[in-house]
Amino acid sequence: METAREPMSGRKAQAARNDELIREAARAVFTADPGAPISAVAEHAGVGISALYRRYKSKEDLLQKLADEGMDRYLAEVEAALDDDGDAWEAFAAFMRRCLDIGAGSLTMRLAGGFEVTEDMSRKGREIHVATRRLLERTREAGALRPGIEVGDVSVILEHLHGIRIGDDERMNRLRHRYLALILDAMNLADRPEPPGPAPSWQELVTRYDD
């Protein structure tokens, strides 16, 4: 018989809230300016710098955690799309919309070279690449995906969409989804020729972190 989970104490609950505030602030600050000091994250989160350093020993450590967390979120979304046994195109399109909403790709290029890539992150990167390729292949086999669309295209498309910074957060979100809708229409043209290529390769994608 399961026992009820003991609620966190006030201090632990506050620490958990602070940690979430710090990560949200870090995503916003470093997406806008990867060179920003870590103190800007604390200011944006409304916490003291000491509260930040209790969780993350350095800016590099924080960047590494953000990138790792982003990989986990993306992997969960692509696995959810693969588990969707409904219409193949709708599953893919919904996956792209969810990735846009969770910020997948928003920090990839912005943070590249700012932290050491761990062995675990490299493993996750390979899992992500393989899972995304499976999703694309399934969509293509259903006759719903334009020829020549590869994993690298998905990565670059999401990065570019997150580069749209016009108006406030609500306006930016609407514009990003506007342009995603246009891109999805182009990707759905299965009877059209391959785009000028080739798409970015796995090696081209991963070496950006070594710069």
Side-chain angles (χ1 to χ4, degrees):
M1 179 178 177
E2 288 189 9
T3 58
R5 181 177 296 179
E6 183 179 345
M8 289 188 291
S9 67
R11 181 173 296 180
K12 287 183 179 179
Q14 183 61 49
R17 285 193 294 271
N18 284 347
D19 193 50
E20 184 58 31
L21 285 172
I22 288 168
R23 292 192 186 211
E24 287 180 2
R27 282 190 287 269
V29 168
F30 294 136
T31 297
D33 178 13
I38 198 168
S39 58
V41 175
E43 182 178 356
H44 192 283
V47 302
I49 191 70
S50 60
L52 193 154
Y53 276 119
R54 279 197 296 271
R55 293 163 178 78
Y56 307 101
K57 60 186 179 182
S58 65
K59 177 179 175 179
E60 181 181 1
D61 183 43
L62 178 54
L63 293 177
Q64 192 178 67
K65 294 292 195 308
L66 288 177
D68 188 56
E69 181 184 65
M71 294 175 81
D72 286 337
R73 296 168 77 186
Y74 178 96
L75 188 57
E77 293 301 344
V78 73
E79 288 176 344
L82 286 167
D83 288 339
D84 186 339
D85 57 4
D87 181 83
W89 172 254
E90 287 304 321
F92 174 74
F95 156 76
M96 291 292 287
R97 289 190 289 267
R98 292 196 305 272
C99 283
L100 188 58
D101 285 335
I102 67 169
S106 62
L107 292 179
T108 303
M109 273 303 294
R110 305 294 284 171
L111 302 186
F115 58 89
E116 181 181 353
V117 177
T118 66
E119 187 175 323
D120 185 56
M121 291 174 70
S122 294
R123 176 188 57 77
K124 285 181 189 177
R126 290 189 291 271
E127 288 181 19
I128 285 170
H129 191 87
V130 170
T132 307
R133 188 174 62 211
R134 285 177 55 207
L135 181 62
L136 291 174
E137 288 172 350
R138 187 183 72 175
T139 311
R140 190 161 23 244
E141 288 169 3
L145 187 67
R146 185 170 182 163
I149 302 297
E150 304 295 344
V151 177
D153 294 312
V154 173
S155 177
V156 172
I157 285 168
L158 289 171
E159 288 176 17
H160 279 290
L161 288 170
H162 281 288
I164 297 171
R165 295 186 178 88
I166 299 173
D168 58 19
D169 289 346
E170 182 179 354
R171 179 60 174 152
M172 280 191 291
N173 182 62
R174 291 176 67 86
L175 284 172
R176 288 168 180 174
H177 278 277
R178 172 187 176 87
Y179 292 108
L180 174 60
L182 294 173
I183 290 169
L184 287 173
D185 283 347
M187 295 175 78
N188 193 210
L189 297 175
D191 60 343
R192 300 292 293 169
E194 294 188 13
S201 68
W202 163 253
Q203 193 60 32
E204 287 175 314
L205 294 174
V206 299
T207 53
R208 295 179 299 176
Y209 287 98
D210 298 327
D211 295 339

